[in-house]
Amino acid sequence: MINNSYLLGLFGGTAPLALDSTTAATLRQAARKQPTPPWSTTVEAPKADALVRAALGGRSIINEDAAQLDIKGASADYRKLFALYQGLNTLNALVNRSGTKGISALESTQLDKRFSAGLSEIGTWLSSSEFDGIRMVQGTSKTTSKTTAAVPRDSARSITGPIHEGSVDNPVIAFQGDTRFSITIKVPVGIDSSQTTAVPIDLADMGATPRTLGNVLEHINGKLEAAGFQTRLGRELIKAEPKTLQVNGKTVTLPAGPDKWAMAIRGTSTETVGFTAPETSDAVYVVQSAGTAGGAQLLKFQSDVGTAAQPVGGGVGETHWVDGRLSQEALPAGVENVRASAVGPDGSLWIVADVTAGPDTQPIKGVQDVALMKYDTAGRLVATRTLGAASTASGYAIAVDANGDVAVAGSVTGALGTKATDAGKTGDVADVADSFVTVFDKEGQELWSQRRGARAADEATSVSFGADGTVYIGGRARSAVTGAAAMGGWDGYVQAFKAAEPYPTAGLVVTAVAATQFGTGGNDSVDAMTVDGSNLYTAGVENGRAVVRHFTLDAAGAPTLASTRDLGTISGDISGVAVSGGQVILTGVSRDSGLSAGSVTTAHSGGKDVFVATLAGDLTASAADRMTWYGGAGDDSAADVKVHDGKVWITGIADRDPAADEDDPTQAYLVRLDPLSGTVEYEKTWSGDGNQASPMTLAVASGGASVLDRLGLPQGEIDQSDSKRLIDATSLRVGDRFYISPADGGRSVSVTIAAKDTLATLARKIEIASNGKLKVTVASEGGSVTGKDGEITTTTGGFQRLSIMARDGAAGAVLTSGETGRDALAGLGLSSGFIGISSGDDVTKTFGLDLSAGLRLGDAAAAKTAGERIQAAMKAVRDAYRSLDPATKASAAASGPVPAYLSNQLANYQAALARLGG
């Protein structure tokens, strides 16, 4: 007898299916076309601890042989998917284990390393595994992919910081008083020469006309037009937006404040614009951490040395202003630590910082990188150069020579490629920190880099230029550095490097001139170093004592120890050493522990105080030696110190309660001392957001302060262009690479970064490597819309990025990351994966795991991110499994007209049903 419900169920009826148990079981078996997946509730899941033990024991993450299929003849795709899912499950177990309370640091490190290796294993397996019915990629699946790394476009337009807020018709405070300066315009004359003309500006010439933004700009532009130049100054609106804050765990939105206004300097391609002021004073730059969130800020102070008028108030939008401060600028997000800064011969400020996230246009490749940032005198960031480390790097020291070349030194763990064509042993992969030194020219282009480590951990904490271009680094090492012998524990060391002169564009050879290692059987270090002619001085803590060493330099630049001065037990740190007037000036912090260096000009005040010791150049004890203490009854720090014109500038935290917690209020200070008399000649103290202010570095610029500061204008020429080389504008290094393979499998082709590559040349390389399957364009972002009266109403930046998509009619291609330490995709800000159309009737479905090779378990936040990404990847595998369901495919194929034979069959069944129904 035929069951009506059964027939209705076959042909879309709504009556419930009622079958006997034998028939139902037979139908279920016949209907099941997919093997049981490992995530099914009917499958016993492996124990998490067993997965962790197996992974740490070295067992492969992916094992196709272990994947069980319970349907004969099932597609091989299922076995691959199940093996992939089980591998991801193992990684998930590692993530969960890393979050377990009480695990040791050793196990945490092992889990992180195994997790990273597992990600790499999955990537390697995916690149060689060919699926039949789907496409699986470790990265993403996109129709279009665009680099987050961007190269700035040349522009003759420059924007100042905000100088006015509120109505544009109100007088601008910054324009009041004696406001005189000159605009310099340089134009080419002939092929290799130029002519510079100064256009004097004196706002007193405006008479009784109100000094509103519009009136002042009209006056200035009139002067420029009368001089026959096309350069003009306009105004830019900075639209105020509401601010969102977290207060006691609750989100609070503050209303938008008044609109702000800046000046826009619009030059031309043939006119180079600059600014000068008739009266100047010395400027002091302080980089500090401020607020409970630890945001970094750049502060600029005007000293009392010079003729410029003192500032009388804070600038627009500034907080916690202190008398004498010229400006306050926030450093970019992602800056974690700033340990060194220096002023170049053109007055620009160079800062070396640790960054955990690069600028929006310059992603980093590893967990932490070193960034060299250049600021003009107006506090505007004009260039950023990242080291390009593949794992972790820290910057500890900076030096600038008379030509404007910049040397940066620090430590690096993991691979560090080369940006120059021959930069020594910089490509090694290591699990311990090595010292590095990198030299850039005054434009920020890397000239050479050296990584010269000991077998155990070492780091470069100081760097100096010699008179002949030799670069010296000082630091500490746990074992012997090349060319020297270890003393035991941490040792101090000095190494010298010399490059060919002048710096060639190719074939650069850097020579390690000499190395010396010194110390005791305990822990020793070089905390500061300076070069004065043919003399080199180091200062550090050696087995708990403050020690200064004097080395003489021979004709080749090799150091020989000439004398040593032990100043006694120190319960603190060495901050700096310098030579002025033939005397050695040592600065640091210590308790009153017996540290001594000649006559005491100012006594110790209690707690930790700052000390300044003045010694003879040959380090012999002399009646002229002086010791000055500075501080209050609490603890004082010396975050950084500079000697300028024979005076000692120091910044740090002032007079803090030794029992204070980390989050308790801190007060910053900036002071200038006479090292001979101990006289305090200049002193400022201030607080910060959340009553937190913690200085990190300082730098002094001769004549760096003027009336231009309150106008937001820089001293000197405005740089209208930046390097277009990818190794300068991004964190890429020569030799970094990635791979492109056909969408449906096949041999991959490498795309390798060369020294002269730009976005345009890289675009061509990608198209060739994809065999024409990808279309790559250089997309511009930015430009301005100019409104009435010269007001800039829209500004979106001025950058160029690569945009990659499948060429019309092509299947697209798959991008795969390069090897660890050489991955160019990370430096470009591109995701590995498939680029093309990922779904459709005639297209192979693509599923992206979106698993970045940079995922880590190093801390709770990183592990949380890794766990979320692993869970999303496991879902992608489940989605891929469902897409292989024959019923799903049949359902998708069933759309459209019904074939005639099916219509006839349906009619026959309907007739049978009618007869059964009577």
Side-chain angles (χ1 to χ4, degrees):
M1 182 175 180
I2 300 176
N3 186 305
N4 292 3
S5 298
Y6 174 57
L7 291 175
L8 287 170
L10 288 175
F11 291 93
T14 58
L17 184 62
L19 304 174
D20 59 76
S21 60
T22 302
T23 304
T26 302
L27 289 175
R28 281 196 300 269
Q29 182 65 25
R32 196 164 71 85
K33 301 298 183 182
Q34 290 185 290
T36 304
W39 56 84
S40 171
T41 56
T42 64
V43 176
E44 183 178 356
K47 301 294 184 183
D49 57 348
L51 293 176
V52 171
R53 285 196 302 273
L56 294 179
R59 186 173 300 176
S60 296
I61 296 291
I62 301 288
N63 183 3
E64 290 187 44
D65 294 334
Q68 300 297 319
L69 304 183
D70 54 6
I71 289 183
K72 293 183 179 180
S75 167
D77 285 355
Y78 289 110
R79 186 178 300 278
K80 291 183 174 67
L81 284 178
F82 294 173
L84 175 58
Y85 187 89
Q86 289 165 336
L88 293 171
N89 197 29
T90 296
L91 293 184
N92 191 55
L94 294 175
V95 172
N96 292 336
R97 176 60 185 170
S98 71
T100 303
K101 291 184 178 180
I103 65 171
S104 66
L106 175 60
E107 183 181 358
S108 180
T109 300
Q110 291 174 333
L111 290 168
D112 184 41
K113 291 178 65 175
R114 189 64 185 98
F115 180 83
S116 179
L119 282 177
S120 179
E121 182 182 334
I122 286 178
T124 301
W125 178 82
L126 281 172
S127 65
S128 61
S129 294
E130 296 185 3
F131 290 80
D132 295 325
I134 55 173
R135 183 185 295 114
M136 297 294 301
V137 293
Q138 183 178 10
T140 58
S141 176
K142 299 180 178 179
T143 55
T144 302
S145 187
K146 186 177 291 187
T147 61
T148 60
V151 175
R153 294 183 298 170
D154 287 345
S155 175
R157 180 173 173 275
S158 181
I159 307 297
T160 72
I163 63 168
H164 178 63
E165 63 180 358
S167 172
V168 73
D169 296 323
N170 292 337
V172 178
I173 295 176
F175 291 153
Q176 306 310 306
D178 183 14
T179 306
R180 294 174 294 121
F181 61 95
S182 293
I183 302 176
T184 60
I185 307 291
K186 184 171 70 176
V187 296
V189 178
I191 298 177
D192 298 319
S193 61
S194 61
Q195 177 179 312
T196 301
T197 302
V199 180
I201 305 295
D202 186 349
L203 297 192
D205 294 341
M206 295 176 62
T209 302
R211 296 185 187 183
T212 64
L213 193 54
N215 290 340
V216 169
L217 293 177
E218 183 180 359
H219 174 75
I220 293 174
N221 289 332
K223 296 286 187 181
L224 291 169
E225 183 178 9
F229 296 112
Q230 296 178 331
T231 294
R232 296 292 183 270
L233 269 63
R235 66 191 185 204
E236 174 160 297
L237 171 63
I238 304 172
K239 196 69 178 175
E241 297 180 354
K243 293 183 178 180
T244 301
L245 304 175
Q246 291 291 324
V247 180
N248 296 326
K250 295 181 179 180
T251 301
V252 177
T253 301
L254 302 179
D259 291 337
K260 297 176 183 178
W261 297 87
M263 286 195 289
I265 305 152
R266 299 195 296 272
T268 69
S269 59
T270 58
E271 295 180 355
T272 301
V273 184
F275 298 90
T276 62
E279 298 177 344
T280 64
S281 293
D282 289 352
V284 183
Y285 296 95
V286 174
V287 178
Q288 71 172 10
S289 174
T292 55
Q297 295 175 330
L298 171 61
L299 310 180
K300 183 178 182 180
F301 292 86
Q302 179 173 314
S303 82
D304 54 358
V305 177
T307 58
Q310 286 289 320
V312 295
V316 173
E318 293 185 15
T319 60
H320 302 280
W321 185 76
V322 58
D323 180 36
R325 200 180 75 195
L326 292 167
S327 62
Q328 175 193 65
E329 301 291 340
L331 269 62
V335 172
E336 292 294 310
N337 209 339
V338 178
R339 297 189 183 90
S341 60
V343 172
D346 63 350
S348 58
L349 176 71
W350 293 92
I351 293 173
V352 58
D354 297 345
V355 292
T356 54
D360 292 340
T361 59
Q362 201 169 352
I364 64 173
K365 296 188 294 185
V367 177
Q368 177 179 287
D369 205 354
V370 173
L372 175 66
M373 300 185 291
K374 180 181 182 181
Y375 284 84
D376 67 14
T377 62
R380 301 181 306 171
L381 180 61
V382 295
T384 301
R385 301 291 184 256
T386 48
L387 184 66
S391 182
T392 300
S394 297
Y396 294 117
I398 189 172
V400 183
D401 72 1
N403 297 320
D405 290 349
V406 184
V408 173
S411 69
V412 58
T413 302
L416 176 65
T418 171
K419 287 192 177 181
T421 54
D422 180 12
K425 299 177 180 179
T426 61
D428 303 326
V429 178
D431 292 331
V432 296
D434 284 340
S435 302
F436 81 85
V437 57
T438 302
V439 177
F440 302 83
D441 67 14
K442 62 182 179 181
E443 304 299 332
Q445 295 192 42
E446 183 174 322
L447 299 174
W448 56 266
S449 187
Q450 289 285 294
R451 173 183 180 167
R452 299 290 178 109
R455 186 174 298 276
D458 58 277
E459 57 190 23
T461 55
S462 306
V463 63
S464 296
F465 281 99
D468 60 351
T470 303
V471 177
Y472 297 89
I473 61 172
R476 60 177 192 158
R478 276 192 175 276
S479 60
V481 298
T482 303
M487 311 294 291
W490 283 100
D491 293 337
Y493 77 85
V494 171
Q495 287 182 303
F497 301 96
K498 194 168 186 177
E501 293 287 355
Y503 296 120
T505 57
L508 178 64
V509 176
V510 180
T511 304
V513 176
T516 182
Q517 195 160 334
F518 46 85
T520 67
N523 288 329
D524 315 302
S525 64
V526 171
D527 299 314
M529 179 179 65
T530 190
V531 175
D532 179 53
S534 60
N535 299 296
L536 181 149
Y537 296 89
T538 66
V541 179
E542 298 186 11
N543 200 24
R545 302 180 70 83
V547 177
V548 183
R549 292 175 180 268
H550 170 214
F551 297 84
T552 56
L553 304 175
D554 64 18
T560 300
L561 183 63
S563 58
T564 301
R565 179 77 176 269
D566 185 337
L567 302 184
T569 303
I570 180 173
S571 56
D573 309 293
I574 301 295
S575 301
V577 64
V579 177
S580 178
Q583 293 180 304
V584 177
I585 301 175
L586 177 70
T587 308
V589 173
S590 179
R591 300 190 186 280
D592 191 7
S593 56
L595 195 67
S596 63
S599 302
V600 176
T601 58
T602 305
H604 186 277
S605 298
K608 280 189 176 181
D609 280 358
V610 179
F611 68 85
V612 177
T614 304
L615 313 172
D618 61 3
L619 300 186
T620 58
S622 164
D625 291 350
R626 293 291 183 271
M627 185 77 161
T628 294
W629 293 92
Y630 172 83
D635 282 352
D636 301 88
S637 73
D640 197 9
V641 57
K642 294 292 190 299
V643 176
H644 183 76
D645 290 341
K647 308 296 184 177
V648 182
W649 286 90
I650 312 168
T651 190
I653 296 174
D655 199 15
R656 195 174 190 214
D657 185 348
D661 293 332
E662 182 178 351
D663 296 330
D664 285 347
T666 57
Q667 186 177 52
Y669 76 88
L670 173 65
V671 67
R672 185 181 71 232
L673 297 174
D674 184 320
L676 298 179
S677 67
T679 303
V680 176
E681 300 178 334
Y682 177 101
E683 187 174 29
K684 303 292 180 185
T685 59
W686 66 92
S687 184
D689 296 339
N691 290 319
Q692 293 278 346
S694 179
M696 294 183 281
T697 73
L698 74 81
V700 184
S702 297
S706 70
V707 67
L708 295 172
D709 288 289
R710 56 183 165 96
L711 304 179
L713 298 172
Q715 289 190 41
E717 292 183 359
I718 296 177
D719 192 358
Q720 298 177 350
S721 64
D722 199 1
S723 174
K724 303 300 180 288
R725 298 195 310 173
L726 294 178
I727 60 172
D728 295 325
T730 73
S731 62
L732 292 170
R733 300 186 71 87
V734 171
D736 286 353
R737 52 185 169 259
F738 62 96
Y739 298 90
I740 299 177
S741 55
D744 298 319
R747 186 179 67 88
S748 62
V749 178
S750 67
V751 176
T752 304
I753 303 299
K756 295 183 180 180
D757 268 342
T758 62
L759 287 178
T761 61
L762 180 60
R764 182 60 178 158
K765 283 184 176 182
I766 294 173
E767 289 189 339
I768 293 173
S770 72
N771 198 25
K773 297 296 191 296
L774 294 176
K775 178 182 179 181
V776 189
T777 57
V778 179
S780 295
E781 297 179 355
S784 303
V785 177
T786 305
K788 63 180 181 178
D789 301 325
E791 176 184 325
I792 308 299
T793 57
T794 304
T795 303
T796 54
F799 293 94
Q800 292 181 320
R801 308 176 194 268
L802 286 188
S803 181
I804 309 174
M805 64 183 69
R807 193 173 295 278
D808 292 343
V814 176
L815 274 58
T816 304
S817 300
E819 297 80 5
T820 300
R822 287 292 190 183
D823 178 29
L825 290 184
L828 289 167
L830 283 173
S831 298
S832 62
F834 173 70
I835 299 177
I837 300 175
S838 60
S839 62
D841 293 342
D842 300 325
V843 175
T844 301
K845 274 195 170 184
T846 302
F847 298 88
L849 301 182
D850 195 15
L851 291 178
S852 166
L855 292 175
R856 293 291 184 270
L857 306 181
D859 54 52
K864 181 176 182 294
T865 299
E868 292 170 348
R869 298 286 283 276
I870 293 295
Q871 290 293 330
M874 295 170 78
K875 180 183 181 300
V877 174
R878 295 194 294 269
D879 291 343
Y881 169 85
R882 284 191 289 271
S883 75
L884 293 173
D885 186 353
T888 302
K889 293 184 176 182
S891 175
S895 60
V898 180
Y901 77 93
L902 286 178
S903 297
N904 293 334
Q905 288 183 7
L906 181 57
N908 291 335
Y909 280 118
Q910 288 172 336
L913 287 172
R915 290 194 296 272
L916 288 170

